[in-house]
Amino acid sequence: MRRVREIILRADRRLSEYVKYRTVMFAYEGDFASFVQYNKPQVNLMLNRGARIPGKFPHVEGSGPTARFMRFKDLAEVDARADELARVARAWCELMATAPNKASRTPSRKASPKR
């Protein structure tokens, strides 16, 4: 998990991490990815809205309407797929940076009344 975390956070400086739903989440302009089934020896990374990420990534799995997954059985597999994972993270950031209606994806903050 540590190596996957490192790859994601180094892929694009716009990505951040936080804890939500008792797991580590990565985000930029919306939730990007989270660890699932983290009590198993392999690492399972859920790309929360992975179906929206443009590009071809051979190790991104899934065919549902939203989520996609990257699974790593061990550290050697994480290292072998590090470049692909970084490209997925950068593709997410580019998608979110250029998407119309960015304001609707981020929590609104009410301006304090002027005095």
Side-chain angles (χ1 to χ4, degrees):
M1 282 178 56
R2 282 187 223 152
R3 180 71 174 120
V4 170
R5 174 187 173 272
E6 177 183 291
I7 292 165
I8 291 171
L9 293 176
R10 287 186 179 179
D12 194 298
R13 66 181 184 184
R14 295 174 286 188
L15 285 162
S16 62
E17 70 178 329
Y18 58 97
V19 175
K20 181 177 177 181
Y21 307 122
R22 297 186 333 183
T23 189
V24 175
M25 303 281 294
F26 302 95
Y28 169 67
E29 296 292 338
D31 293 341
F32 162 59
S34 59
F35 292 112
V36 293
Q37 298 176 336
Y38 46 84
N39 58 344
K40 296 189 175 187
Q42 69 272 9
V43 173
N44 297 303
L45 184 70
M46 180 172 68
L47 307 170
N48 298 16
R49 291 181 281 161
R52 296 181 61 195
I53 299 172
K56 301 258 187 225
F57 305 102
H59 297 101
V60 173
E61 305 171 5
S63 59
T66 338
R68 296 291 185 268
F69 297 87
M70 284 189 82
R71 303 174 200 283
F72 309 93
K73 66 180 178 184
D74 55 26
L75 184 57
E77 200 165 81
V78 172
D79 287 336
R81 298 178 183 174
D83 182 59
E84 181 181 355
L85 177 56
R87 286 186 292 115
V88 169
R90 286 190 296 272
W92 171 261
C93 289
E94 287 307 307
L95 174 67
M96 292 296 103
T98 59
N101 243 348
K102 269 174 50 172
S104 67
R105 289 190 312 275
T106 56
S108 62
R109 295 181 187 210
K110 294 183 180 181
S112 56
K114 293 184 179 180
R115 296 179 190 201

